[in-house]
Amino acid sequence: MKSIFKIAAITAAGVISTSAISATRWDMATPYVDATHHTQNIRQFAEDVNAATNGDFEIIVHAGASLIKHKEIPRAVRTQQVPMGEVFIGILGNEDPIYKLDNLPFLATNFTDAKKLYEVSKPLIEAKLNKNGLMLLYSVPWPPQGVYSKEPLTSIDSFKGAKLRAYSSTLSRLAVLLEASPTTVQTVEIPQAFSTGIIDMMITSPTTGVSSQSWDYVDNYTDVQAWIPKNMVIVNKRSFKRLDKSMQSALLTAAAAAEKRGWEMAINETEIKNKELMEHGVKVVAPNSELIKALTAVGDQMSQEWAEEAGAEGKALLAEYH
């Protein structure tokens, strides 16, 4: 009898061991903390995949750049250091102009236009990623970008001579055209940069304005809705192909749901964060018509410059969007 129990115990242990070995676990790198709607959405995405596969496919989310720094994530996924990750699309702008598109100022200034721009540009983005052995799973926007300033923003002349935070080559170019001085400052350094006079103005989302407690160093937020940038979740193609068909299906289904949910979250996030700014004493105002007209003219110039840089495919893309 003892022998029978022993054999049964060994058999059970073998089944458990085989099950544990057969489970697929992927590490996923994201640069954003849990407080952002992007990371919250990703965690739900991971839970959906786990549930759809009865725990056989687990995605372990490493938030806040805890596993890999933001700029290194695309390469890490490409080289299979990790099978998947999330990046700000504009961070790849130096690799190809297409990645700069949703950072062009005053091209898409509301969520409806931003969605249209995404749908028009998505096939080209997928083609560019494919050349590097990557797949686009889904993309989610940030809230529209507005201007944080110590003094009220009354006209385009308010930018002249200002030290404007820049976090991309596109924003640096905008600063130059506005006759401001572009200054590179990382998100975590924003409060100190304002307090020490390194910058006195920035263009960013209400989300970043709240997370960096902008009310401690500025009084005004002008909701110009300059552009609506996006993040994208990418996966290594070889890693994807190694999954069995059921896991591939679960991943793609969860990704489609995450994209739909993420856009809805971004819209809600915009309203919630604007309200939170006002509750902390920041004056949230709409720009006057003169300011919008002047800024749109600068945006048109930057779109033309981008089209020249992107070549025929870029010009065709803008024509389709318009």
Side-chain angles (χ1 to χ4, degrees):
M1 185 64 70
K2 289 182 178 179
S3 178
I4 292 173
F5 281 128
K6 185 175 182 181
I7 292 171
I10 293 171
T11 302
V15 171
I16 293 170
S17 177
T18 301
S19 176
I21 292 172
S22 65
T24 298
R25 289 181 173 82
W26 276 13
D27 287 312
M28 178 179 181
T30 175
Y32 302 101
V33 297
D34 284 323
T36 67
H37 68 287
H38 288 285
T39 306
Q40 292 166 6
N41 190 35
I42 282 173
R43 291 201 180 280
Q44 182 60 57
F45 161 73
E47 289 179 15
D48 290 347
V49 172
N50 186 284
T53 59
N54 296 315
D56 287 339
F57 187 5
E58 182 181 7
I59 296 173
I60 303 168
V61 180
H62 300 269
S66 59
L67 184 64
I68 299 170
K69 293 180 180 179
H70 193 174
K71 290 185 178 180
E72 298 170 1
I73 290 176
R75 182 177 180 276
V77 178
R78 189 163 55 238
T79 59
Q80 298 186 72
Q81 184 178 344
V82 289
M84 67 188 306
E86 180 194 32
V87 296
F88 182 74
I89 296 179
I91 206 170
L92 294 170
N94 290 333
E95 294 188 14
D96 195 284
I98 186 62
Y99 299 117
K100 299 179 182 179
L101 181 61
D102 70 2
N103 281 268
L104 290 178
F106 306 100
L107 178 62
T109 58
N110 58 66
F111 284 107
T112 299
D113 287 348
K115 193 63 177 290
K116 180 182 177 182
L117 185 63
Y118 172 53
E119 291 170 350
V120 168
S121 61
K122 184 178 178 181
L124 194 52
I125 291 174
E126 289 178 321
K128 301 293 183 181
L129 291 172
N130 183 61
K131 288 182 179 179
N132 284 313
L134 301 171
M135 281 177 55
L136 173 66
L137 282 185
Y138 70 86
S139 182
V140 169
W142 289 91
Q145 309 288 290
V147 183
Y148 293 81
S149 58
K150 295 181 179 181
E151 301 298 327
L153 196 64
T154 55
S155 73
I156 199 167
D157 290 338
S158 300
F159 289 98
K160 289 183 178 179
K163 289 172 281 189
L164 179 65
R165 175 189 175 235
Y167 56 77
S168 69
S169 58
T170 303
L171 188 46
S172 292
R173 175 59 179 159
L174 175 61
V176 170
L177 292 176
L178 293 173
E179 298 184 42
S181 176
T183 307
T184 301
V185 173
Q186 300 302 316
T187 303
V188 294
E189 300 169 341
I190 288 174
Q192 183 179 2
F194 268 103
S195 64
T196 57
I198 294 175
I199 57 174
D200 46 32
M201 190 179 289
M202 67 177 176
I203 302 178
T204 192
S205 69
T207 301
T208 301
V210 169
S211 65
S212 63
Q213 298 184 335
S214 58
W215 46 84
D216 288 337
Y217 44 85
V218 297
D219 296 318
N220 302 276
Y221 175 67
T222 307
D223 190 16
V224 297
Q225 300 190 20
W227 60 90
I228 300 177
K230 299 185 297 293
N231 289 354
M232 62 180 173
V233 173
I234 53 177
V235 61
N236 182 280
K237 282 176 60 180
R238 288 185 179 179
S239 297
F240 179 79
K241 289 178 179 178
R242 291 194 190 104
L243 298 172
D244 64 40
K245 296 299 182 182
S246 64
M247 290 183 181
Q248 289 181 0
S249 177
L251 192 68
L252 295 176
T253 299
E259 183 164 283
K260 182 177 184 297
R261 181 176 59 243
W263 280 77
E264 294 169 353
M265 291 175 75
I267 294 170
N268 292 333
E269 174 85 355
T270 302
E271 182 178 348
I272 291 169
K273 297 306 182 184
N274 275 339
K275 184 178 179 181
E276 195 166 344
L277 287 172
M278 289 186 283
E279 289 173 347
H280 283 89
V282 178
K283 299 173 185 175
V284 177
V285 298
N288 61 52
S289 58
E290 177 190 346
L291 177 59
I292 281 294
K293 183 178 180 180
L295 289 174
T296 300
V298 174
D300 289 343
Q301 179 179 342
M302 291 187 66
S303 290
Q304 292 173 10
E305 292 175 354
W306 178 86
E308 290 300 320
E309 180 186 6
E313 61 184 11
K315 292 176 182 176
L317 196 156
L318 281 182
E320 184 180 355
Y321 169 70
H322 289 299

